[in-house]
Amino acid sequence: MEETIELRELIGIIWGGKNVIAICTVICMLLAGSVSWLILDEKYESKAVVQVTSTVQDTGIMANYVAAEFTPTIYAQRIQNKPIMQQALKDAGIKIKYNEKNLVTTVDTDPTKNLVELKFTSSSSEEAQKQLQILLEATKQKMNDSVQDTLQNFETTYKEEADALIEEIDSIIGKYNNLIRENNLPEVLILQTILNTEIILNVSEGQTAALSNVDGKLQNQLLQLQAQIQTKSEEYRKTLANYQSVKTGLDSFKPDPFIRAIAGPTLPEKPSSPNKILNLALGLVLGIIIGLGIVFLRYYWKKSAVVK
């Protein structure tokens, strides 16, 4: 019975302060509406989904470099690079300052999809779509430049290695030729070494005598020099093949197969923020809470004064 009385008393207190609660609720809703419609700027959100994968095309010797660059994680990091994105907007004639908070990137955890979801907000639907498109293109170009720079470095490295090997081979062949001439050996040995095959030709009696007098030391020197020439020549062939492969890739490489826009950027039809209905609802709830607080505070204030 006592609980029923307390509940009735509670309802009576609330009912007695209904005007205060109503006034507080109206004031809070008016404030929420004023802020939502008059103060807060409308923001429009453009969305895009991009697939980033390095397995769509066989890139030969470049496969490792492409695989290291064209990943969803690297893509998400590059598109969030503030200086580069700001420069991209500036180059496109957009004077607003780039705010990284306007861009939200989400990398899909499924490794078979390789998807990156992007959301970009701006002051108008057209600007949101346009700016997101600029950021996507700038990121693709930056990743392309990164691979191009890597390939150029390797092209230079392979070229320098090939030139150094040529000098080494020339030096070893020079030593080999000098031994042939100094010991009056048949010059056909020079041709045999270069062609790496056996050739039978007529030789003079003097050269035949010189061949018969070749000792073990001279023979070892010739064999070592031949082996060095063959080894260095094989290294040169491999280096030259790598150089040609990188050079071909450098001339023909394009990032398009590795970065594909699956969806968007979209043109938003309505603003994403502020959420005016939600703000009004929050104003309603806040107004009721404040009104109840005032009513109960006034009640207990009066009650404590009567007790005294």
Side-chain angles (χ1 to χ4, degrees):
M1 191 68 179
E2 184 177 355
E3 293 181 358
T4 305
I5 295 174
E6 290 182 355
L7 179 59
R8 288 178 177 177
E9 183 180 3
L10 181 62
I11 295 174
I13 295 170
I14 295 174
W15 182 256
K18 61 182 182 297
N19 293 333
V20 174
I21 297 173
I23 292 173
C24 291
T25 301
V26 171
I27 292 175
C28 287
M29 291 185 69
L30 286 175
L31 289 174
S34 299
V35 171
S36 299
W37 269 271
L38 302 177
I39 298 178
L40 293 179
D41 295 329
E42 290 186 338
K43 296 292 184 180
Y44 292 82
E45 184 179 82
S46 179
K47 300 178 181 179
V49 179
V50 177
Q51 185 181 52
V52 185
T53 178
S54 59
T55 59
V56 295
Q57 181 176 326
D58 182 13
T59 52
I61 193 174
M62 304 184 302
N64 291 335
Y65 316 129
V66 173
E69 178 66 27
F70 287 92
T71 67
T73 301
I74 295 296
Y75 185 91
Q77 291 176 347
R78 290 202 179 280
I79 202 171
Q80 292 175 341
N81 189 309
K82 184 176 181 179
I84 295 176
M85 296 302 106
Q86 178 64 60
Q87 186 62 44
L89 294 176
K90 182 178 179 181
D91 293 341
I94 298 176
K95 298 181 180 180
I96 67 169
K97 186 176 181 181
Y98 172 75
N99 186 352
E100 64 271 22
K101 294 181 180 180
N102 291 339
L103 179 67
V104 178
T105 61
T106 305
V107 178
D108 196 321
T109 56
D110 188 348
T112 62
K113 296 180 180 179
N114 299 305
L115 298 179
V116 181
E117 298 180 4
L118 304 113
K119 298 177 181 179
F120 185 79
T121 58
S122 188
S123 57
S124 70
S125 57
E126 292 80 8
E127 285 298 316
Q129 183 187 44
K130 179 181 178 181
Q131 291 173 29
L132 181 56
Q133 183 63 46
I134 292 171
L135 299 184
L136 295 179
E137 293 297 330
T139 304
K140 180 190 291 187
Q141 185 60 45
K142 185 61 181 177
M143 296 177 77
N144 175 66
D145 292 344
S146 176
V147 173
Q148 293 278 359
D149 291 342
T150 300
L151 294 179
Q152 287 177 351
N153 291 334
F154 276 99
E155 180 189 25
T156 301
T157 300
Y158 286 134
K159 181 67 167 58
E160 292 175 350
E161 289 180 0
D163 292 342
L165 286 170
I166 289 176
E167 293 181 2
E168 288 187 57
I169 294 172
D170 287 343
S171 176
I172 298 171
I173 291 177
K175 294 178 182 179
Y176 181 87
N177 293 346
N178 288 336
L179 280 177
I180 298 295
R181 295 189 180 96
E182 289 173 359
N183 292 277
N184 195 30
L185 298 175
E187 293 188 359
V188 68
L189 295 176
I190 298 175
L191 184 61
Q192 177 180 326
T193 300
I194 294 174
L195 298 178
N196 193 23
T197 186
E198 293 185 0
I199 299 176
I200 300 177
L201 292 176
N202 293 328
V203 295
S204 65
E205 293 182 1
Q207 291 174 335
T208 302
L211 283 172
S212 63
N213 292 327
V214 171
D215 56 16
K217 181 179 179 180
L218 178 58
Q219 184 179 13
N220 287 335
Q221 288 178 325
L222 293 173
L223 290 175
Q224 288 177 5
L225 291 173
Q226 286 180 343
Q228 291 179 25
I229 292 172
Q230 292 175 5
T231 301
K232 293 298 180 181
S233 297
E234 184 62 29
E235 290 181 19
Y236 174 75
R237 282 191 289 271
K238 291 180 180 179
T239 302
L240 186 61
N242 290 336
Y243 169 75
Q244 293 293 347
S245 178
V246 170
K247 185 172 179 60
T248 301
L250 187 61
D251 295 336
S252 61
F253 180 80
K254 300 295 180 184
D256 297 294
F258 310 105
I259 301 177
R260 296 191 304 149
I262 305 299
T266 59
L267 181 65
E269 297 179 355
K270 58 182 180 180
S272 58
S273 66
N275 190 330
K276 299 173 183 177
I277 302 301
L278 177 61
N279 290 344
L280 286 176
L282 292 175
L284 173 64
V285 174
L286 183 61
I288 293 174
I289 292 174
I290 293 175
L292 288 172
I294 294 174
V295 168
F296 282 108
L297 178 63
R298 184 181 64 177
Y299 171 77
Y300 283 110
W301 182 273
K302 292 180 177 179
K303 188 174 181 181
S304 62
V306 171
V307 172
K308 290 179 180 179

